[in-house]
């Protein structure tokens, strides 16, 4: 059974850096073709794709957010970390961790974690 | 990359069929077969309903079908049921090697 769970702060201040961790089970990020990524959703708004890291450490970023994002993996811990710098209130939303296979859309999603950016 | 364009809302009565469209560009939908559709109920994570334009994951009802023509993809739901009321999002792989979502369509079952 594949599961993913997001963890991190629920509240961050403007200009701060957000660090989110995705802890997963039921698969390995050592397996060819496997990727773990992040997608977010502001309250009442649409999904926005953020970043993805593949088993071979290939990393993909949303062009509009690339300068603010860093994604890394720790295969031994079954974890993927997303770092987003210079947080702004518009970054408030639910952040989802997902699993996908090469060029396949995310099929497995975590429950999501709500992050609020406010002073 | 810009978000894919979806109609904001659509409605239908139980038993009817509805179609949701999703328009992209030659940089995404127009180039790849990697178009997918998600269903999202309030407060829940999205659920994959269609991938590779018209394929259904295991367990997804055959009432859900997908197609593509040029830069536009479509999701059709036949035999509408009350449980189909949700938000629907299209998504496409892009020539940048990333993914892009649509703005979402709210389906109301009358």
């Amino acid at each position: 059974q594949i599961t993913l769970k997001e963890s991190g702060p629920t509240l961050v201040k403007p200009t701060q850096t957000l660090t989110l961790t995705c802890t997963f089970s039921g698969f390995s990020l050592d397996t060819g073709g496997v990727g773990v990524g992040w997608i977010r959703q502001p309250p009442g708004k649409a999904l926005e794709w953020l970043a993805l890291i593949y088993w071979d450490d290939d990393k993909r970023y949303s062009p509009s957010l690339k300068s603010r994002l860093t994604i890394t993996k720790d295969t031994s811990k079954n974890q993927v970390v997303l770092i987003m710098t210079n947080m702004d209130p518009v970054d408030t939303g639910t952040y989802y961790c997902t699993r996908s296979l090469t060029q396949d859309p995310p099929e497995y999603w975590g429950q999501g974690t709500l992050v609020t950016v406010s002073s | 990359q810009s978000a894919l364009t979806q109609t904001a809302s659509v409605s239908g009565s139980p038993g009817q069929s509805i179609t949701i469209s999703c328009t992209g560009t030659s940089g995404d939908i127009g180039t790849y077969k990697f178009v997918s559709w998600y269903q999202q109920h309030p407060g829940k994570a999205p659920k994959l309903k269609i991938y590779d334009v018209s394929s259904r994951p295991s367990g997804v009802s055959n009432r859900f079908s997908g197609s593509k023509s040029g830069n536009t993809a479509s999701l059709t739901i036949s035999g509408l049921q009350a449980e189909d009321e949700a938000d629907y999002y299209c998504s496409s792989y892009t020539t940048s090697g990333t993914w892009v979502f649509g703005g979402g369509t709210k389906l109301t079952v009358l």
Side-chain angles (χ1 to χ4, degrees):
Chain A
Q1 181 188 3
I2 291 175
T3 63
L4 305 102
K5 187 170 185 179
E6 307 86 352
S7 60
T10 58
L11 178 66
V12 297
K13 290 180 167 48
T15 75
Q16 286 188 335
T17 294
L18 171 69
T19 300
L20 293 174
T21 300
C22 173
T23 303
F24 55 86
S25 63
F27 66 96
S28 172
L29 205 35
D30 271 340
T31 303
V34 174
V36 173
W38 292 89
I39 292 165
R40 72 177 179 180
Q41 185 173 36
K45 296 189 177 181
L47 300 168
E48 180 180 16
W49 187 90
L50 298 178
L52 176 62
I53 187 166
Y54 286 108
W55 84 102
D56 59 357
D57 211 38
D58 182 10
K59 301 171 185 177
R60 309 290 174 90
Y61 295 102
S62 164
S64 61
L65 292 169
K66 186 173 184 177
S67 64
R68 299 174 54 205
L69 295 175
T70 302
I71 190 169
T72 61
K73 63 182 175 70
D74 186 332
T75 306
S76 66
K77 293 182 179 179
N78 280 353
Q79 291 182 334
V80 168
V81 172
L82 180 74
I83 298 171
M84 180 179 287
T85 61
N86 194 25
M87 293 292 285
D88 183 273
V90 300
D91 296 313
T92 293
T94 297
Y95 287 71
Y96 293 100
C97 174
T98 65
R99 192 211 83 156
S100 55
L101 301 177
T102 308
Q103 292 185 323
D104 280 349
E107 182 173 5
Y108 296 95
W109 295 58
Q111 63 188 23
T113 185
L114 177 61
V115 178
T116 301
V117 184
S118 175
S119 55
Chain B
Q1 71 204 24
S2 299
L4 306 175
T5 301
Q6 296 181 236
T7 305
S9 63
V10 65
S11 62
S13 299
Q16 288 186 332
S17 294
I18 63 94
T19 297
I20 299 171
S21 65
C22 171
T23 301
T25 68
S26 58
D28 38 67
I29 292 177
T31 295
Y32 295 105
K33 69 166 186 173
F34 306 118
V35 178
S36 51
W37 290 90
Y38 291 89
Q39 175 192 64
Q40 186 180 34
H41 288 110
K44 301 293 186 180
K47 180 181 178 183
L48 183 65
K49 296 301 232 184
I50 295 286
Y51 68 97
D52 289 356
V53 175
S54 59
S55 297
R56 285 185 303 275
S58 175
V60 173
S61 170
N62 59 9
R63 298 188 299 106
F64 291 83
S65 61
S67 62
K68 188 189 88 161
S69 177
N71 295 339
T72 299
S74 298
L75 171 72
T76 297
I77 307 174
S78 59
L80 268 181
Q81 299 179 0
E83 66 205 48
D84 299 331
E85 184 163 295
D87 293 327
Y88 290 84
Y89 293 93
C90 60
S91 179
S92 175
Y93 191 70
T94 78
T95 52
S96 301
T98 60
W99 290 85
V100 63
F101 283 95
T105 297
K106 183 177 180 61
L107 168 61
T108 300
V109 180
L110 302 171

